Amino acid sequence: GAGVSQSPRYKVAKRGQDVALRCDPISGHVSLFWYQQALGQGPEFLTYFQNEAQLDKSGLPSDRFFAERPEGSVSTLKIQRTQQEDSAVYLCASSRRWAGANVLTFGAGSRLTVL
Amino acid sequence: KNEVEQSPQNLTAQEGEFITINCSYSVGISALHWLQQHPGGGIVSLFMLSSGKKKHGRLIATINIQEKHSSLHITASHPRDSAVYICAVLPMNYGGSQGNLIFGKGTKLSVKP
């Protein structure tokens, strides 16, 4: 596609519910990143894929968070048993190669509100 | 401890003014990104630089690696420049992950007509 597409744009979940957030990166982009942005804060790194390989998941805050990119294109970030502190905007970005040498293209984000 | 500090946090300017946003960081870096975030969340990448200076239209970004400092300048500011500007660095010793950017908290710019 022309840009990075994220869905849903807005998600309201009850505490304890599982959610899945989807990212469709630019076609051919090798690297895919997930970030979490709390209200009034800068984004924080969650995880990074190079093609289908998850090379870094050090930013995932707990084992309730899981990300996959099985075919090296679309990625899904899954949050199990959501908690109120999970409320944030989840941003996906992709780049042609690796972030240090390439500009990132961001999606519009998925805003999660946990009640 | 904030590894990336931006100043000011908030900035209000009159249309036409020259604007400077600063970013200081405490780690060795491979690259630095300037990003623009509009209300609603969408982020646009403005610049990626590792040395010197880049210019795109009315935007100029500079970096001083020795001083661990970067600035984003906007000339002839316009109300449509109103947004949050975020500085993000890619640490040199990132432990194998090329995606582990460290972000500043952003500078909220409001340009009044």
Side-chain angles (χ1 to χ4, degrees), chain B residues 26-41:
Chain B
S26 57
V27 297
I29 67 168
S30 300
L32 181 144
H33 298 256
W34 279 105
L35 310 167
Q36 180 192 57
Q37 186 170 33
H38 282 281

Side-chain angles (χ1 to χ4, degrees), chain B residues 20-86:
Chain B
T20 296
I21 298 170
N22 296 298
C23 175
S24 295
Y25 52 91
S26 57
V27 297
I29 67 168
S30 300
L32 181 144
H33 298 256
W34 279 105
L35 310 167
Q36 180 192 57
Q37 186 170 33
H38 282 281
I43 291 181
V44 174
S45 181
L46 300 175
F47 296 103
M48 186 202 63
L49 63 166
S50 54
S51 64
K53 176 179 172 179
K54 287 191 175 180
K55 184 176 189 293
H56 186 254
R58 295 180 294 106
L59 301 178
I60 303 166
T62 63
I63 188 168
N64 185 319
I65 295 293
Q66 287 73 30
E67 294 186 3
K68 293 187 166 64
H69 181 269
S70 176
S71 293
L72 176 69
H73 305 286
I74 306 175
T75 61
S77 60
H78 190 276
R80 65 174 174 266
D81 297 327
S82 298
V84 175
Y85 292 84
I86 301 172

Side-chain angles (χ1 to χ4, degrees), chain A residues 10-112:
Chain A
Y10 303 93
K11 175 70 179 177
V12 178
K14 291 183 180 176
R15 192 172 53 157
Q17 191 177 349
D18 296 350
V19 300
L21 307 176
R22 176 189 167 107
C23 173
D24 200 341
I26 291 176
S27 179
H29 274 199
V30 166
S31 296
L32 185 146
F33 313 88
W34 282 99
Y35 300 97
Q36 180 191 55
Q37 186 175 23
L39 189 63
Q41 303 294 315
E44 291 193 359
F45 171 80
L46 292 177
T47 187
Y48 160 64
F49 289 86
Q50 192 168 74
N51 296 309
E52 69 279 1
Q54 189 174 22
L55 297 188
D56 187 348
K57 54 182 180 179
S58 64
L60 296 176
S62 78
D63 59 7
R64 296 185 295 104
F65 285 72
F66 172 77
E68 61 182 5
R69 194 186 184 197
E71 296 177 0
S73 55
V74 172
S75 176
T76 304
L77 176 67
K78 296 178 180 176
I79 309 173
Q80 296 177 321
R81 304 180 304 281
T82 52
Q83 304 293 315
Q84 283 188 316
E85 62 262 28
D86 301 335
S87 296
V89 175
Y90 290 86
L91 295 162
C92 176
S94 69
S95 71
R96 191 172 300 171
R97 293 186 311 192
W98 61 282
N102 281 269
V103 170
L104 296 175
T105 303
F106 284 81
S110 291
R111 182 179 295 275
L112 172 65

